[in-house]
Amino acid sequence: MGNPAVLLAPGVVRIPTLGDFINSFAFTDSDGSVTLVDCGLKRAPARIVAGLAHIGKHPYDVTRIILTHAHPDHAGGARGMLNATGLAGVESHEADAAYLRQGSPPRRDTSTTSGRVFERLPQSDFSAVPVATELKDGDIIPVAGGMRVVHTPGHTPGHVSLLHASSGVLITGDSIFNIASRRTWPLAGFCTSYAQSKATAARLADLEYGIAAFTHGPEIRDRARDRIRDFLRTKSDHG
Ligand SMILES: [Zn+2]
């Protein structure tokens, strides 16, 4: 088992919940409160609690849980983390709120082969959770100086990336993966609209950040913005 929490910037850690393949993030505010981003699979809460303990935090210190989107590898542990923290609900983009409240992901892109295959499999449901706050594009969530909601729909209708300007950390969410040291698109069959997901990822090229953090894969600290822009420039038109 690797490091339970990886420091990205002062007050910002990545918490690996399935090796580096599925990540949560914790942001600590000046008053000691913690904002958690994503909750991994259903069994991830034990890893998240261990990651919090590694930075001297208890689940009761968590005052906000933000979900980048309504998929079981991000929302699956949300019910468990609500129970552990005592919070009443999560925060998500308004376009994914209904899926979180019903505990089932949005439909898959049946214009792709993998989407047609996956659509026939049993739906990968997760425990329904209340959504206490619905987010919109451009919202600034009051997390340690402000976290900007960047709506990047396509992977799901309400998928968001998150820009924490004061630490220079961008969380791409599932708009871009970083697996085996390579930037890739999410798997087409798991997107609601693969084409839209690739198109809206272009928004990330315009943002200012020093560290690119991924819900799938380890972060990039060196020339992060250039490398994201290189990926978007070479991959956006095709494939
Ligand atoms: Zn995912």
Side-chain angles (χ1 to χ4, degrees), residues 1-26:
M1 181 174 151
N3 197 337
V6 178
L7 188 68
L8 300 185
V12 183
V13 293
R14 172 170 64 89
I15 301 176
T17 65
L18 192 75
D20 291 337
F21 288 111
I22 306 180
N23 299 311
S24 292
F25 299 90

Side-chain angles (χ1 to χ4, degrees), residues 1 12 24 31 60 79 83 87-88 103-104 113 121 125 132 134 145 155 161 181 191 203 210-211:
M1 181 174 151
V12 183
S24 292
D31 65 358
Y60 289 160
R79 179 71 264 169
N83 293 345
L87 290 171
S104 60
T113 305
L121 300 174
D125 290 350
E134 296 189 15
H155 187 63
S161 306
S181 301
C191 295
R203 295 195 68 188
I211 297 173

Side-chain angles (χ1 to χ4, degrees), residues 14 20-21 23 178-181 212-214 216-220:
R14 172 170 64 89
D20 291 337
F21 288 111
N23 299 311
N178 185 39
I179 301 293
S181 301
F214 304 85
H216 299 294
E219 56 280 346
I220 299 175

